[in-house]
Amino acid sequence: MPKPIQSIERAAAILRLLSGRTRRLSLVELTGELGLPKGTVYGMLRTLVQVGFVEQDPETGKYRIGATLLHLGSSYLDGNELRTRALNWSDWLAARSRESVRIGTMHEGRVLIVHHVFRPDDSPQALEVGALLPAHASAMGKVLLATNPYVVAELSKAQLPSITGATITDPYQLSAELEEVRERGWAAEVEELIIGEASCAAPIRDRRGVSVGAIAVTGPVERVCENGQPRAELVTYVREGARTISRDLGAIPW
Amino acid sequence: MSEQYVAAIDQGTSSSRCLVFDQQGRIVSVGQKEHAQIFPRPGWVEHDPEEIWRNVLFVVKSALDQAGLTAGDLVALGIANQRETTLLWDRHTGKPLHNAISWQDTRTDALVKELGGAVGQDRFRESCGLPLATYFSGPKMSWLLEHIPDLRRRAEAGDVLFGTMDSWLIWKLTGLHITDVTNASRTMLMNLNTLDWDDDLLSAMGVPRQVLPKIHASSEIYGEASGPLRGVPVAAALGDQQAALFGQTCFSVGEGKCTYGTGSFLLMNTGPQARPSTHGLLTTVGYRIADQPASYALEGSIAVTGALVQWLRDKVGLIGSAPEVETLARTVEDNGGIYFVPAFSGLFAPHWRSDARGVIAGLTGYVTKGHIARAILEATAWQTREVVDAMNVDSGVMLTTLKADGGMTANNLLMQFLADVLGVPVVRPIVAETVSLGAAYAAGLAVGFWPNMQSLRANWHKAAEWLPNKNGQDREKGYRKWKKAVSRTLDWVDDDD
């Protein structure tokens, strides 16, 4: 295998740093984080700005990910937009399944909840929008990881934290399960995040067929599961909901 | 017997939709198609009624096809419609005599001032519950009768029929010339107490009685459809906001809802008595089920809410899509001290000031586009607060929870801010499509698909709830600033503008 090209690796590192932050970063901050000479980083940034992958604020001189890259990037869809466009069919899923529904997107290796529909039984529940879930321990996370080997590799470098006794902590076991998720098109999580709860999730795809988020039904294990797996009926509802939302986003029905 | 469904047509301002519901009140499928907004002159807004009818047929077919259903699977059809939009057509040929004049159209501006005379805009409020304003159908019809050659003579000869969009669709579906009591209550021609056309109002507006449809209940079998929906009972019609009140199952006195769309409309059920307003609200009919007494409502209308977000997207170009306003607004912690009063065509409830125009107050060099996005969302909440305050006084009932629906309920930042400025919980029902749901409920009730209104309540579930967490002091300071900003909008329009 030929040697990796250093400048591309470095450019990728800059983009990764910028995409992981909600605020803009200055040249000094970037240099510090990357441990590279200022001149090198500055040169790379100038080129990245030229091609539109990075934007520089004219007033503060700070950098952020450019719009061009966002539209090029595979998983970018504004979470607020995703919620708006998924509103009707996530309600539909909650009404059908009689359990709570969440929609999540990948955010710095974790699952960001961008939408939450209460379980339709009028019991007291609190909105969880904005909360972050560990990707390896949630059904939505598994769906999103299944098409994102880079994040899986990053997560596996560190230790996969154990949250309950059932959480998958072995990277090989996780890879094997993600392979299965990829093949069958949905993911399950049984008491791996919260004892007594289970969840199943399916991918929401955009018009390019790329997963932009995941939708999940979550509830008590005794209602959601049968023989240790989510009930077939729930899986059907989740997949149907995901398909309908995907169709509304322009994905070709499959 | 296979499962049965109810279909609702929502003939709205920008599009027509058809939603199919099952017996649990769950959405089964949705068809939607936009129609052209015709702007012949500044301030004029028209719709092509033939295009609307074609679109309605299209969306019905689309919704049925999606769910793999046929007309035979439908037990009833209900209609919810954009209110006040006015059409006259030929009784004999069924052909429209002009484009429908949209409720947004302001061509009757001078006419309504003239009609007010020395008394002003409240001249007819006692009998019809409405102030004189350009939205309502009566003055629009009056304008048409004056301006289309030979129309008045033909109308008086009985060759012309009037209708709002409900009447037009029912006419096309069944051949009957009728309207429902909620739509009739928006014409300024119906007496709120008799629930019949009022001779004094008719003569004031110069409208011959023979053009008017017969007023029916909101929920009763009007007739059977022909054409692609052959045999399906057409069993409900409600103005869209009243349909949303019904869809939110606000059946008890003091229960209310606010629908957040282009504009926003807060309606509260006030029971079997029409309640006059002294704080700039409208008195209107909420619904009438078959031969039961009508339920009345108080309504606060806010002209510009979602429209302000669309303005930011289409005219200013700060955002690429409406939901992005939340993303932009979340880049800052607060409004940076600015207040945006979107009095684009004057102020509606509770002020009713046509001389007002929009302002952004409190601008400093510190303000960024994030602050503007935030102020734009906050404007919707503060406007709601003004209407809720008026509603609490006029109804004599304190609103304890706001049931919100409509597209903007997807905006979490707005919903949280709304709870903060109202100081009461804001809840979103599991079916956000309350307009269509209300029409479906009313139609289903008429044919016995649902046994009674209580059974509809059982379908209402909370899908999300936002609790107030702003402290009272911050809230009142913000409200004070908002009111100051509102006062800056007044008296802007001059006689020579």
Side-chain angles (χ1 to χ4, degrees):
Chain A
M1 205 174 102
K3 260 182 69 178
I5 299 165
Q6 194 188 41
S7 57
I8 294 184
E9 280 190 325
R10 285 177 173 177
I14 290 175
L15 292 176
R16 233 172 251 144
L17 261 179
L18 290 173
S19 69
R21 305 298 161 86
T22 47
R23 58 181 189 88
R24 294 160 201 263
L25 295 178
S26 67
L27 178 60
V28 176
E29 287 171 303
L30 281 163
T31 310
E33 296 245 19
L34 292 162
L36 291 171
K38 205 165 161 182
T40 310
V41 177
Y42 181 65
M44 311 214 77
L45 280 168
R46 265 191 26 186
T47 308
L48 288 168
V49 169
Q50 261 172 22
V51 299
F53 283 12
V54 168
E55 282 173 8
Q56 186 177 20
D57 187 290
E59 302 222 358
T60 61
K62 291 186 175 186
Y63 297 91
R64 69 164 184 188
I65 286 286
T68 315
L69 192 61
L70 293 182
H71 293 294
L72 210 76
S74 59
S75 64
Y76 180 75
L77 178 67
D78 185 298
N80 296 315
E81 176 126 24
L82 180 56
R83 180 192 319 117
T84 304
R85 296 176 65 174
L87 199 66
N88 272 348
W89 296 107
S90 40
D91 283 352
W92 172 89
L93 181 55
R96 278 277 150 186
S97 64
R98 299 174 194 275
E99 299 293 350
S100 65
V101 168
R102 286 167 189 75
I103 291 178
T105 58
M106 199 51 108
H107 182 79
E108 296 180 33
R110 290 192 286 175
V111 178
L112 172 67
I113 298 179
V114 299
H115 186 41
H116 175 191
V117 184
F118 289 172
R119 182 176 59 252
D121 61 4
D122 300 319
S123 63
Q125 295 164 73
L127 271 189
E128 290 171 13
V129 174
L132 290 162
L133 304 178
H136 69 291
S138 61
M140 287 193 290
K142 289 179 191 174
V143 161
L144 295 166
L145 288 176
T147 52
N148 208 333
Y150 172 74
V151 180
V152 180
E154 286 289 295
L155 288 179
S156 303
K157 260 189 233 164
Q159 203 153 24
L160 294 172
S162 169
I163 294 147
T164 69
T167 313
I168 300 173
T169 53
D170 174 3
Y172 293 102
Q173 198 193 333
L174 182 64
S175 287
E177 175 149 352
L178 294 180
E179 182 59 41
E180 200 187 330
V181 169
R182 241 188 325 270
E183 269 169 27
R184 69 184 182 188
W186 59 276
E189 167 268 304
V190 181
E191 299 195 88
E192 293 157 53
L193 184 60
I194 294 168
I195 292 170
E197 277 196 5
S199 166
C200 67
I204 297 172
R205 301 179 208 266
D206 70 3
R207 84 183 91 80
R208 296 158 303 183
V210 171
S211 300
V212 290
I215 186 163
V217 162
T218 307
V221 67
E222 61 273 17
R223 279 208 305 261
V224 169
C225 288
E226 209 168 57
N227 303 324
Q229 278 293 303
R231 288 188 287 119
E233 183 197 41
L234 279 186
V235 173
T236 307
Y237 289 152
V238 169
R239 301 188 71 190
E240 203 177 326
R243 257 200 309 272
T244 314
I245 294 165
S246 302
R247 196 180 59 208
D248 285 358
L249 292 177
I252 296 149
W254 69 92
Chain B
M1 201 173 71
S2 64
E3 207 174 334
Q4 293 184 307
Y5 303 90
V6 177
I9 292 168
D10 172 10
Q11 202 301 297
T13 304
S14 54
S15 71
S16 301
R17 292 141 54 81
C18 176
L19 278 79
V20 176
F21 293 92
D22 67 13
Q23 203 158 12
Q24 280 76 51
R26 302 181 297 207
I27 296 175
V28 176
S29 62
V30 183
Q32 175 166 359
K33 194 165 169 62
E34 294 193 1
H35 57 259
Q37 306 289 317
I38 304 162
F39 303 104
R41 290 193 207 179
W44 290 28
V45 190
E46 299 179 351
H47 298 154
D48 175 357
E50 299 281 19
E51 182 191 6
I52 284 180
W53 170 240
R54 278 195 306 277
N55 288 2
V56 163
L57 290 178
F58 174 87
V59 298
V60 166
K61 182 173 184 326
S62 156
L64 289 176
D65 287 353
Q66 262 179 55
L69 302 175
T70 66
D73 298 308
L74 301 177
V75 293
L77 173 73
I79 296 167
N81 57 288
Q82 54 165 327
R83 304 177 300 175
E84 297 123 10
T85 294
T86 299
L87 180 66
L88 297 169
W89 65 90
D90 186 302
R91 179 194 291 273
H92 312 291
T93 65
K95 291 280 174 236
L97 299 167
H98 59 94
N99 275 336
I101 304 182
S102 162
W103 59 273
Q104 303 144 296
D105 187 297
T106 56
R107 76 184 65 181
T108 53
D109 205 7
L111 177 63
V112 297
K113 278 202 191 86
E114 196 185 306
L115 282 168
V119 187
Q121 61 186 15
D122 283 341
R123 182 176 163 202
F124 305 116
R125 197 186 258 277
E126 205 182 314
S127 43
C128 70
L130 307 172
L132 273 159
T134 55
Y135 315 103
F136 305 116
S137 322
K140 289 186 199 295
M141 203 187 332
S142 191
W143 187 95
L144 284 165
L145 290 168
E146 283 313 306
H147 288 80
I148 297 184
D150 204 32
L151 191 61
R152 179 169 295 282
R153 186 194 60 78
R154 292 174 65 197
E156 280 165 1
D159 297 333
V160 173
L161 300 180
F162 154 82
T164 38
M165 287 299 108
D166 55 316
S167 297
W168 173 238
L169 296 182
I170 294 172
W171 165 265
K172 295 297 269 185
L173 286 163
T174 66
L176 298 166
H177 185 225
I178 60 176
T179 187
D180 101 292
V181 65
T182 67
N183 277 297
S185 77
R186 315 298 292 191
T187 56
M188 299 202 82
L189 300 172
M190 188 185 82
N191 186 299
L192 269 186
N193 298 308
T194 64
L195 300 180
D196 196 2
W197 305 118
D198 183 299
D199 284 325
D200 291 341
L201 294 170
L202 294 184
S203 73
M205 311 237 179
V207 170
R209 197 180 251 269
Q210 51 270 42
V211 305
L212 298 172
K214 187 162 185 294
I215 302 173
H216 280 253
S218 320
S219 167
E220 68 171 67
I221 300 174
Y222 306 132
E224 280 191 359
S226 57
L229 286 170
R230 183 178 304 280
V232 179
V234 180
L238 294 133
D240 50 13
Q241 295 309 320
Q242 281 89 342
L245 185 74
F246 204 75
Q248 285 264 31
T249 64
C250 296
F251 301 145
S252 304
V253 176
E255 287 188 309
K257 67 88 206 178
C258 192
T259 303
Y260 289 93
T262 307
S264 294
F265 298 86
L266 201 153
L267 273 76
M268 183 192 268
N269 188 332
T270 59
Q273 290 296 322
R275 269 194 104 95
S277 169
T278 51
H279 292 83
L281 304 176
L282 310 179
T283 307
T284 196
V285 180
Y287 53 87
R288 195 177 140 223
I289 306 301
D291 47 9
Q292 293 170 31
S295 282
Y296 291 86
L298 278 168
E299 169 173 332
S301 343
I302 309 166
V304 180
T305 53
L308 186 55
V309 178
Q310 289 160 11
W311 173 84
L312 188 72
R313 180 193 64 196
D314 301 336
K315 303 284 174 70
V316 186
L318 265 187
I319 48 174
S321 73
E324 276 176 37
V325 71
E326 182 172 355
T327 314
L328 184 56
R330 283 189 191 275
T331 60
V332 293
E333 290 297 311
D334 54 34
N335 63 14
I338 62 163
Y339 291 80
F340 194 144
V341 187
F344 289 172
S345 45
L347 286 166
F348 283 35
H351 308 283
W352 298 101
R353 290 285 295 258
S354 56
D355 61 328
R357 285 298 178 269
V359 300
I360 303 176
L363 280 172
T364 61
Y366 168 75
V367 168
T368 66
K369 56 187 176 184
H371 296 120
I372 293 174
R374 208 168 247 270
I376 277 176
L377 291 178
E378 291 185 3
T380 291
W382 292 122
Q383 292 184 98
T384 307
R385 166 77 189 262
E386 291 183 318
V387 168
V388 166
D389 282 2
M391 194 76 77
N392 285 342
V393 178
D394 279 343
S395 69
V397 186
M398 291 297 276
L399 188 84
T400 52
T401 301
L402 183 72
K403 287 181 167 181
D405 55 62
M408 282 182 102
T409 56
N411 191 311
N412 278 309
L413 186 63
L414 170 62
M415 291 297 110
Q416 182 59 55
F417 193 74
L418 196 52
D420 289 345
V421 307
L422 296 178
V424 301
V426 173
V427 297
R428 178 177 86 77
I430 197 152
V431 176
E433 302 280 355
T434 53
V435 171
S436 298
L437 185 62
Y441 277 170
L445 269 183
V447 298
F449 188 55
W450 288 290
N452 51 45
M453 290 161 81
Q454 205 51 44
S455 67
L456 300 176
R457 276 189 195 273
N459 287 341
W460 192 96
H461 295 295
K462 197 190 287 178
E465 179 171 40
W466 294 268
L467 301 172
N469 59 23
K470 199 174 210 182
N471 71 48
Q473 208 181 338
D474 282 354
R475 175 163 65 226
E476 292 320 306
K477 182 184 172 198
Y479 195 29
R480 190 183 75 224
K481 289 286 188 195
W482 166 262
K483 285 179 169 165
K484 276 173 94 164
V486 168
S487 72
R488 303 293 190 272
T489 67
L490 303 177
D491 194 27
W492 181 260
V493 178
D494 296 321
D495 287 340
D496 57 355
D497 276 335

